[in-house]
Amino acid sequence: MTLYGAVEAGGTKFVLAVGESPEAPREVVRIETSSQPLETVARVIRYFEDNGPLAALGVATFGPVDFASGSITTTPKAGWQDFPLRDALAQALHIPVGFDTDVNGAALAEARCGAGKGLDDLVYFTVGTGIGGGVLTGGQLVHGLMHSEMGHLLVRRAPGERDAFRGVCPYHGDCLEGMASGPAMEARWGVKADQLPSGHDAWRIEADYLAQACVNVACVLSPQMVVLGGGVMNQSHMLERIRGRARELSNGYLPLPRIESPALPYPGLTGALLLAREAAR
Ligand code: ADP
Ligand code: ZN
């Protein structure tokens, strides 16, 4: 059997796995993301040397990234600006490396073997410490000038919002991430999002922003499905709230995409295995 390696690279942790098939990542380990990229990369290399040999590696990473150089670019994560992650791994392991954003990887994974199995047009959002979005359209991951950055969609104020919350995005203030990420909820309400009871008005407001995001991507990309993952979506009542609010916002004009939770335990990691398999071809 051919063995592939997968890296889901995040600002707090790297998740590593190997697998013969994307559906079954195994030997999953987590390592802390050091402020010294070469230190983290050395641990990644050691793990794959110990668990190989691999036919190819897939990397689904935090960004922003530049695909020409395979680098992470303007991240606020200390030490990682302009770090050439793809080539650092390819040169040490001497194998092909598939490289994309974490959310593009997750979109690919949910479309190939998750909630949207068999779909060619799917958008994946993660709503966590930040908000990110990945796009698969016509079966292809979207890159373009760089890649989608749908966390920074510009949104309008939720109705009935009693405060004048300015938002937490250092660049835009009140963009989607500025208004609806986990840290935005904490800054607005003074408690962590997971401490807010399900009946709290915070969730109506949160659902409004995420519904705006769903309707906006429906207008631009017309995906068949939008998958909403990330820590803040670990609230069982949210999916139905967002679906309802999206229907209200689109007001019968558009056929809306299905709005679903991820079906995979590790969408980004599974995406990385799929990227590895494509890189090996
Ligand atoms: P990251 O984005 O750092 O990869 P997560 O997707 O887990 O990690 O998102 C972390 C954010 O999700 C934090 O702001 C945290 O407060 C929030 N969060 C975690 N669990 C829950 C929960 N059950 N309900 C609401 N928010 C949560
Ligand atoms: Zn922003």
Side-chain angles (χ1 to χ4, degrees):
M1 284 288 267
T2 312
L3 190 65
Y4 304 102
V7 178
E8 185 179 1
T12 0
K13 62 182 188 304
F14 273 46
V15 187
L16 315 176
V18 294
E20 278 103 13
S21 87
E23 283 87 351
R26 53 183 177 77
E27 318 299 335
V28 179
V29 303
R30 288 168 187 73
I31 61 175
E32 185 208 338
T33 309
S34 152
S35 56
Q36 312 275 343
L38 289 174
E39 201 176 279
T40 306
V41 162
R43 294 181 67 185
V44 173
I45 290 163
R46 204 171 322 129
Y47 166 87
F48 287 118
E49 284 171 351
D50 291 348
N51 290 280
L54 305 177
L57 180 68
V59 180
T61 181
F62 69 107
V65 307
D66 172 55
F67 290 111
S69 63
S71 303
I72 291 164
T73 58
T74 52
T75 175
K77 176 74 187 174
W80 286 80
Q81 292 86 9
D82 299 315
F83 182 72
L85 179 60
R86 182 191 59 201
D87 291 355
L89 293 168
Q91 282 160 16
L93 294 165
H94 307 288
I95 50 175
V97 176
F99 185 77
D100 217 309
T101 63
D102 45 7
V103 278
N104 265 356
L108 181 67
E110 289 292 334
R112 293 278 188 272
C113 35
K117 191 167 182 167
L119 300 182
D120 274 342
D121 298 277
L122 183 145
V123 166
Y124 183 96
F125 278 104
T126 181
V127 188
T129 307
I131 298 184
V135 181
L136 184 80
T137 193
Q140 300 293 317
L141 291 172
V142 170
H143 290 170
L145 181 60
M146 56 175 302
H147 47 76
S148 300
E149 276 289 328
M150 291 187 290
H152 300 275
L153 281 169
L154 303 180
V155 287
R156 65 187 186 192
R157 296 286 159 145
E161 209 173 326
R162 54 194 128 112
D163 62 359
F165 185 58
R166 296 163 63 92
V168 299
C169 175
Y171 291 92
H172 317 113
D174 60 359
C175 66
L176 178 64
E177 179 173 295
M179 297 305 273
S181 62
M185 296 195 82
E186 188 177 344
R188 183 199 296 268
W189 302 107
V191 289
K192 288 198 180 298
D194 62 352
Q195 301 300 311
L196 291 163
S198 61
H200 196 289
D201 203 39
W203 297 112
R204 176 189 62 79
I205 292 170
E206 183 70 5
D208 181 274
Y209 288 114
L210 297 175
Q212 288 187 56
C214 292
V215 172
N216 285 342
V217 300
C219 291
V220 178
L221 295 162
S222 199
Q224 292 147 316
M225 182 179 289
V226 177
V227 177
L228 299 174
V232 175
M233 287 303 298
N234 286 325
Q235 294 278 333
S236 53
H237 55 101
M238 274 300 277
L239 205 58
E240 208 38 64
R241 281 178 187 267
I242 295 163
R243 289 171 177 151
R245 186 61 184 146
R247 280 194 297 272
E248 284 174 13
L249 288 171
S250 91
N251 199 22
Y253 179 66
L254 285 172
L256 283 174
R258 285 170 58 195
I259 300 173
E260 301 291 346
S261 296
L264 299 167
Y266 305 105
L269 201 61
T270 301
L273 280 177
L274 288 160
L275 293 171
R277 197 169 64 181
E278 284 179 16
R281 283 189 181 135

